[in-house]
Amino acid sequence: MNNILCCNAGRRGRFVQDVRTTLNGSGKVIATDNWSVAPAIFMADVQYVVPKINDPNYINEVLNICQKEDIKAVLTCIDPEIELLAANREKFISKGILPLCPSPKSAHLCFDKYEMYKYLRDNGINTVLTYSNMEEFLSGYEKGDMAFPVFIKPRSGSGSVGAQKIMTMDDLKLKFAEGKYDYIIQEFMNCEDFDADAYIDCISKELIAVFSKKKIETRIGGASKTISFKDEKLFDFVKKIVPLFDFAGAVDMDFFYKDGVYYLSEINPRFGGAYLHAYGAGVDFIQYIVNNINGKANTPEIGNYEEGVLMLMYDDVVITKEKDLLRDFHD
């Protein structure tokens, strides 16, 4: 059985449903969360409520679930867990479980936005000019390398929490004085931004698929309306980026497009929230996972989808009874 564990499924109900659709009885979807009212766990074949990822017993809990449910592959739906899975990657591999996460080094680079910036810059990858503190910014500002408005965001944040456009020096100094986050300061990219879902084969380590989409609307840190497009220049850029990292499975990439040039903004080495678009357009990363589980390397098929396919997100609900909830670890 091709049983897949989706950790911290949260609100990713449609994603869990899509995994079940591809498995089509050839395996089960097991979903976890630290809260018994996480909507997505109700979409899975089997549900578990587990401790939070900072609990010292968390990984053991996950490994116990893997053993009990005969899990063949494990993935997470949240950024903060990626480094944790990466650090324990060998534990999963030793038990015959495919960990859909990067190496520890690649996981750290993706989570620490300033380290990522330096790594991309040093490897000749177009990216957004970034400063790690006010001293660096003031030096660059005096040289004319950066001007207002600027964009700030937490160095290790996710979901666009704390990210905002800053118009003046006084506002910037105020944000740093507040000390709410460890901010980085970036050039404000007044241009189009795009997403790309990519799959890196867990056996061959090759880039297998890229699905690119233009953002029409963004809400709560992610794209809620997108339209598919193809650009060989973007595909070639992704092909240049991927070998610099040790990825396994799905990754979500964010790009800016300015004056005919693509700039890499961020990489989230997990299924992006808008991967639903790729799946709906026939780009089935879940089948790639199943093939990898069974020792089969996938054949590259980059750009194998239609242009002009729209994804329009909307809200849905789960209706259940309190007495049916699982044990709750939520504080």
Side-chain angles (χ1 to χ4, degrees), residues 267-328:
I267 303 177
N268 301 305
R270 54 166 172 76
F271 280 93
Y275 166 72
L276 304 174
H277 189 176
Y279 187 85
V283 184
D284 191 350
F285 288 6
I286 313 304
Q287 186 58 54
Y288 296 151
I289 293 172
V290 171
N291 292 341
N292 284 165
I293 286 172
N294 291 284
K296 178 182 177 183
N298 294 286
T299 302
E301 46 181 359
I302 295 169
N304 185 19
Y305 59 88
E306 289 185 38
E307 292 189 282
V309 177
L310 285 159
M311 179 196 71
L312 312 173
M313 282 190 179
Y314 70 98
D315 293 329
D316 203 349
V317 300
V318 170
I319 303 297
T320 189
K321 295 180 180 179
E322 185 178 14
K323 67 181 178 62
D324 295 328
L325 298 181
L326 302 173
R327 180 186 173 197
D328 200 343

Side-chain angles (χ1 to χ4, degrees), residues 231-260:
D231 187 348
E232 289 298 329
K233 185 160 58 175
L234 178 56
F235 295 158
D236 289 341
F237 192 31
V238 175
K239 290 175 185 176
K240 183 179 178 182
I241 294 165
V242 167
L244 298 175
F245 299 88
D246 182 5
F247 292 135
V251 300
D252 171 42
M253 299 183 174
D254 294 332
F255 299 94
F256 291 107
Y257 188 63
K258 186 175 182 179
D259 299 328

Side-chain angles (χ1 to χ4, degrees), residues 83 105-119 132 154-157 182 184 267:
E83 281 195 277
K105 178 184 176 181
S106 292
H108 178 69
L109 285 170
C110 292
F111 198 58
D112 187 322
K113 296 177 176 61
Y114 188 64
E115 288 299 319
M116 172 67 93
Y117 163 72
K118 293 190 295 180
Y119 184 71
S132 65
R155 179 167 175 162
S156 299
D182 181 13
I184 57 171
I267 303 177

Side-chain angles (χ1 to χ4, degrees), residues 19 40-41 78 121 151 178 209 218-219 221 223 242 282-283 317 325:
V19 178
I41 64 174
I78 61 170
R121 179 197 62 192
F151 197 76
E178 288 174 354
T218 300
R219 301 178 69 185
V242 167
V283 184
V317 300
L325 298 181

